[in-house]
């Protein structure tokens, strides 16, 4: 279980997160929704060790993540699909996938097969430089790359950002499929409607503070959430 | 992968045979051309090794003149005073340069950003000031009487080593990790790459070969002076790799040869325009500007830099 307990995060003097707490149980899809600038990315970056909290604790089972370097956290199987995809543009699709499996010493051919079955488009383009893929394909690659690391927990930062509606649907279905294969998922989204549909549980974050939590269905039917995030 | 392994051996053995044969013929060649061939080789070593730091790993080092100076002076010190065998002295020069690289790299490469450029710039100046005041290697008077050990054979043996080791690095999983740092340091870290360690490794790798190149240079010229290792020398190497295409090993090697020959050709330009100033730097600058305008990825195409968002 991934547990965030009362973390405060600062950028210089600006307090970006205020006592944020949340938890993700094994096998769940948990989503964190909120407006632009609410602190969603900051939360994920803090979990993966790219930013240090000034206060509070983050634990994964018995590990204290706040004391670990990013590559150590990754080696626990907590893998981030960063905002804006961040694929390695001058490396090929295949090289990107191999980088995803960087920490592994076991056989990766099964997983390659699996990600290619999830994203057949990537299989066709495995020799192409990642920087020349379309936005949607790059997002698929970013997810596939994280999957190659055999994640136990996958942190997804706005995977639907900037994608055509049909592709958005496709991506969310794939996330569900990945979760069914046993990967725990923490999904950050501005597209609250889609995220709440697939999430087991959800948190709402506003200006650095968690203001609401509940099951996906509860929040979908909540008046305040409807008004603020679901367009009425 | 096996193919690559075999290719590497064939390349190496083939190269050795050629170097051996050419080494026999060379004394009959015009000494002026011979010198250009030697300098071209040394410049290949400098450029290809700087390319590992700046082109493959995406860090920005301006320290190559400094590392070269360390290797040049230390190897000469060893051969001059202690009659240390040449290959050992070369390696010792490289190792000392690498150790200094370690000292500069550890505190600066842990940080993201361009601290390395500033630190290596300062390092180069400090090394020069120290050499100016180090009497045992001549200080400001210079260091004469270094034995002439550098031959075509040694230079191109080192060229082969630096080429083969850079290619091997590039094609290894470690090489891919180094490239991923250049591409996106944060994503690389998220993949579990210990980015600090690889950045330091690439930096020491480059520093080592720069030190070896310095040793070759010293034992060819037989005279050293601290003023040969100014910031401009680092820039010269930088121009080679930018022109050749950051990250492209072959491009960088070819551009090193090209930029060694170019100033020699420009001697005629000096006569032609009847000037007393050396037009070399003007041409360099023009070349750089032209390259950036016409082929920002370098002559033979290196990687495409993308605009980094934070
Ligand atoms: N590198 C940074 N330096 C300073 N402030 C930042 C930085 N990154 C984010 N912030 C600020 O922190 C707040 C939360 O940002 P972020 O976590 O990116 O929001 P979200 O992902 O929900 O859009 C915003 O007010 C943003 O301006
Ligand atoms: Mg964000």
């Amino acid at each position: 279980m991934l547990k965030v307990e009362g973390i405060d995060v600062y950028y210089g003097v600006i307090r970006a997160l205020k006592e944020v707490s949340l938890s993700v149980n094994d096998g769940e899809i948990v989503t964190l929704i909120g407006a632009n600038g609410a602190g969603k990315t900051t939360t994920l970056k803090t979990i993966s060790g790219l930013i240090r909290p000034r206060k509070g604790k983050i634990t994964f089972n018995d590990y204290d993540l706040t004391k670990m370097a990013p590559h150590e956290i990754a080696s626990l199987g907590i893998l981030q699909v960063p905002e804006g995809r961040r694929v390695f543009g001058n490396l090929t699709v295949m090289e990107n996938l191999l980088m995803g499996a960087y920490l592994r010493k076991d056989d990766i051919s099964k997983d390659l097969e699996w990600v290619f079955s999830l994203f057949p488009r990537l299989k066709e383009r495995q020799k192409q430089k990642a920087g020349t893929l379309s936005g949607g394909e790059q997002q698929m690659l970013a997810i596939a790359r994280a999957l190659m690391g055999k994640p136990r927990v996958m942190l997804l930062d706005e995977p639907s950002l900037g994608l055509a509606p049909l592709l958005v649907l496709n991506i969310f279905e794939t996330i569900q499929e990945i979760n069914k294969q046993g990967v725990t998922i923490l999904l950050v989204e501005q597209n609250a409607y889609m995220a709440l549909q697939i999430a087991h549980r959800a948190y709402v974050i506003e200006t650095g503070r968690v203001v609401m939590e509940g099951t996906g269905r509860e929040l979908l039917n909540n008046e305040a959430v409807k008004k603020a995030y679901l367009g009425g | 992968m096996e193919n690559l392994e075999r290719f590497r051996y064939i390349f190496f053995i083939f190269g050795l045979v050629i170097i051996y044969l050419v080494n026999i013929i060379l004394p009959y060649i015009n000494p002026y051309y011979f010198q250009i061939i030697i300098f071209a080789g040394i410049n290949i070593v400098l450029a290809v090794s700087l390319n590992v730091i700046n082109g493959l790993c995406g860090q920005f080092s301006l320290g190559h003149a400094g590392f070269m100076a360390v290797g040049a002076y230390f190897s000469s010190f060893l051969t001059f005073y202690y009659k240390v065998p040449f290959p050992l002295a070369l390696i010792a020069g490289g190792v000392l340069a690498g150790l200094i690289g370690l000292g500069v790299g550890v505190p600066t490469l842990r940080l993201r950003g361009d601290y390395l450029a500033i630190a290596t710039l300062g390092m180069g100046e400090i090394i020069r000031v120290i050499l100016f005041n180090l009497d045992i290697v001549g200080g400001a008077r210079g260091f004469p009487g270094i034995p002439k050990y550098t031959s075509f054979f040694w230079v191109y043996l080192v060229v082969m080593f630096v080429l083969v080791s850079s290619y091997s690095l590039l094609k290894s999983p470690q090489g891919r990790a180094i490239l991923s740092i250049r591409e996106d340091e944060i994503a690389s870290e998220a993949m579990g790459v210990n980015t600090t360690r690889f950045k330091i490794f690439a930096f020491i790798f480059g520093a080592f070969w720069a030190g070896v190149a310095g040793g070759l240079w010293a034992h060819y010229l037989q005279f050293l002076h601290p003023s040969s290792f100014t910031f401009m020398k680092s820039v010269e190497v930088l121009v080679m790799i930018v022109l050749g295409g950051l990250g492209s090993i072959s491009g960088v090697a070819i551009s090193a040869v090209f930029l060694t020959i170019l100033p020699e050709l420009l001697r005629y330009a000096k006569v032609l325009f009847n000037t007393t100033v050396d037009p070399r730097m003007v041409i360099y600058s023009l070349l750089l500007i032209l390259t950036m305008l016409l082929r920002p990825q370098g002559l033979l195409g290196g990687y495409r830099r993308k605009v980094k968002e934070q």
Side-chain angles (χ1 to χ4, degrees):
Chain A
M1 178 160 106
L2 179 68
K3 206 164 176 177
V4 176
E5 294 170 86
I7 55 168
D8 274 10
V9 173
Y10 286 78
Y11 291 110
V13 293
I14 301 162
R15 191 171 169 211
L17 295 186
K18 299 154 193 161
E19 305 204 346
V20 167
S21 296
L22 56 88
S23 64
V24 187
N25 297 311
D26 292 346
E28 273 188 325
I29 299 180
V30 171
T31 183
L32 179 63
I33 58 173
N36 203 3
K40 304 180 297 293
T41 298
T42 305
T43 306
L44 289 195
K45 280 186 173 170
T46 313
I47 293 172
S48 55
L50 294 167
I51 308 175
R52 300 268 162 228
R54 194 173 287 185
K55 215 186 86 196
K57 225 167 105 178
I58 304 172
T59 54
F60 179 61
N61 299 335
D62 290 331
Y63 294 95
D64 183 352
L65 302 192
T66 52
K67 294 200 168 59
M68 296 167 70
H71 67 268
E72 293 168 331
I73 293 171
S75 70
L76 292 179
I78 301 176
L79 297 179
Q80 191 175 348
V81 180
E83 189 174 18
R85 319 171 194 345
R86 288 180 176 270
V87 296
F88 303 122
N90 288 290
L91 303 189
T92 65
V93 167
M94 184 53 109
E95 286 168 333
N96 268 270
L97 294 175
L98 291 175
M99 274 314 296
Y102 173 76
L103 286 171
R104 293 177 53 184
K105 298 194 170 52
D106 54 334
D107 183 29
I108 60 166
S109 52
K110 277 253 159 52
D111 302 83
L112 257 183
E113 234 170 81
W114 181 44
V115 300
F116 280 149
S117 73
L118 285 174
F119 305 109
R121 193 77 74 84
L122 295 182
K123 185 170 186 171
E124 293 161 23
R125 297 176 183 235
Q126 49 183 297
K127 295 211 171 93
Q128 195 171 323
K129 278 193 176 185
T132 65
L133 298 174
S134 73
E137 289 161 349
Q138 288 191 17
Q139 185 61 63
M140 293 173 194
L141 179 57
I143 295 174
R145 184 179 64 179
L147 287 176
M148 289 303 295
K150 258 205 172 143
R152 294 167 71 185
V153 181
M154 192 146 96
L155 312 173
L156 283 156
D157 197 347
E158 304 219 30
S160 74
L161 196 70
L163 299 188
L166 205 63
L167 260 170
V168 172
L169 197 67
N170 194 311
I171 289 274
F172 277 97
E173 277 170 7
T174 310
I175 293 170
Q176 259 184 320
E177 172 64 30
I178 292 165
N179 174 252
K180 286 204 182 98
Q181 300 288 325
V183 181
T184 304
I185 284 169
L186 176 55
L187 169 67
V188 153
E189 264 297 341
Q190 274 192 67
N191 190 335
Y193 181 72
M194 292 296 297
L196 290 174
Q197 293 237 323
I198 66 164
H200 299 110
R201 289 190 306 113
Y203 295 85
V204 180
I205 185 168
E206 272 173 19
T207 55
R209 226 181 259 286
V210 172
V211 293
M212 216 183 295
E213 65 173 286
T215 64
R217 174 131 332 137
E218 274 167 12
L219 293 197
L220 265 180
N221 296 322
N222 180 294
E223 286 306 319
V225 172
K226 270 190 194 168
K227 215 180 200 133
Y229 300 105
L230 303 175
Chain B
M1 280 295 129
E2 257 173 44
N3 255 337
L4 185 78
E5 205 59 46
R6 192 170 315 145
F7 170 77
R8 216 176 284 153
Y9 277 121
I10 293 172
F11 175 81
F12 206 78
I13 292 167
F14 191 66
L16 272 181
V17 172
I18 289 189
I19 289 174
Y20 185 73
L21 291 178
V22 173
N23 205 30
I24 294 172
I25 305 164
L26 265 176
Y28 305 104
I29 290 181
N30 175 340
Y32 171 60
Y33 293 147
F34 180 74
Q35 172 162 321
I36 294 175
I37 292 170
I38 293 286
F39 285 161
I42 293 174
N43 282 337
I44 292 175
V45 177
L46 287 170
V48 170
S49 61
L50 185 67
N51 181 50
V52 171
I53 307 170
N54 292 26
L56 301 185
C57 195
Q59 306 306 300
F60 196 73
S61 168
L62 286 169
H64 248 44
F67 293 132
M68 201 184 160
V70 169
Y73 269 90
F74 189 54
S75 63
S76 305
F77 172 76
L78 291 176
T79 52
F80 184 83
Y81 286 106
Y82 297 102
K83 311 270 177 288
V84 172
F86 184 48
L88 278 185
L90 278 183
I91 293 170
V95 168
L96 185 63
L99 284 176
I100 290 172
L102 185 70
V104 176
V106 167
T108 44
L109 288 169
R110 286 159 59 191
L111 309 166
R112 255 174 250 137
D114 292 329
Y115 300 98
L116 188 67
I118 299 159
T120 48
L121 194 65
M123 178 203 75
E125 291 309 297
I126 291 169
I127 288 173
R128 231 155 40 80
V129 169
I130 291 175
L131 290 174
F132 255 114
N133 293 289
L134 211 59
D135 267 337
I136 187 130
V137 288
R141 281 169 288 119
F143 186 172
I146 301 164
K148 184 150 195 158
Y149 289 148
T150 297
S151 62
F152 177 86
F153 173 78
W154 286 117
V155 171
Y156 281 85
L157 185 71
V158 172
V159 166
M160 285 228 306
F161 268 114
V162 84
L163 283 176
V164 169
S165 59
S166 302
Y167 268 117
S168 308
L169 181 67
L170 180 63
K171 295 298 172 197
S172 68
Q174 287 75 21
R176 205 156 48 227
I178 286 173
L179 288 179
S180 79
I181 296 172
R182 169 190 87 188
E183 293 295 304
D184 192 321
E185 192 168 342
I186 290 177
S188 173
E189 215 159 333
M191 301 296 104
V193 175
N194 187 339
T195 53
T196 305
R197 198 164 73 196
F198 279 108
K199 283 193 285 180
I200 291 173
F201 172 79
F203 187 54
I204 292 176
F205 183 94
F208 172 82
W209 288 114
V212 172
L216 289 170
W217 201 66
H219 291 84
Y220 180 77
L221 289 179
Q222 299 179 272
F223 176 75
L224 286 176
H225 194 272
S227 63
S228 309
F229 304 101
T230 59
F231 167 65
M232 282 320 293
K233 182 75 200 169
S234 295
V235 172
E236 239 174 73
V237 187
L238 195 66
V239 171
M240 288 172 193
I241 66 174
V242 171
L243 195 72
L246 277 173
S248 156
I249 295 175
S250 51
V252 160
I254 290 169
S255 131
V257 175
F258 174 65
L259 285 182
T260 315
I261 297 171
L262 187 70
E264 301 305 326
L265 295 179
L266 290 179
R267 282 180 204 285
Y268 298 110
K270 202 167 148 185
V271 178
L272 207 66
F273 297 123
N274 195 21
T275 62
T276 47
V277 286
D278 194 350
R280 216 207 305 189
M281 285 330 284
V282 178
I283 306 263
Y284 266 160
S285 323
L286 281 177
L287 254 178
L288 252 196
I289 294 168
L290 273 179
T291 314
M292 281 175 194
L293 285 177
L294 302 175
R295 281 190 71 84
Q297 72 274 42
L299 287 182
L300 290 178
Y303 73 97
R304 293 157 69 100
R305 288 184 83 92
K306 64 165 190 232
V307 184
K308 286 224 172 87
E309 83 275 31
Q310 189 47 51

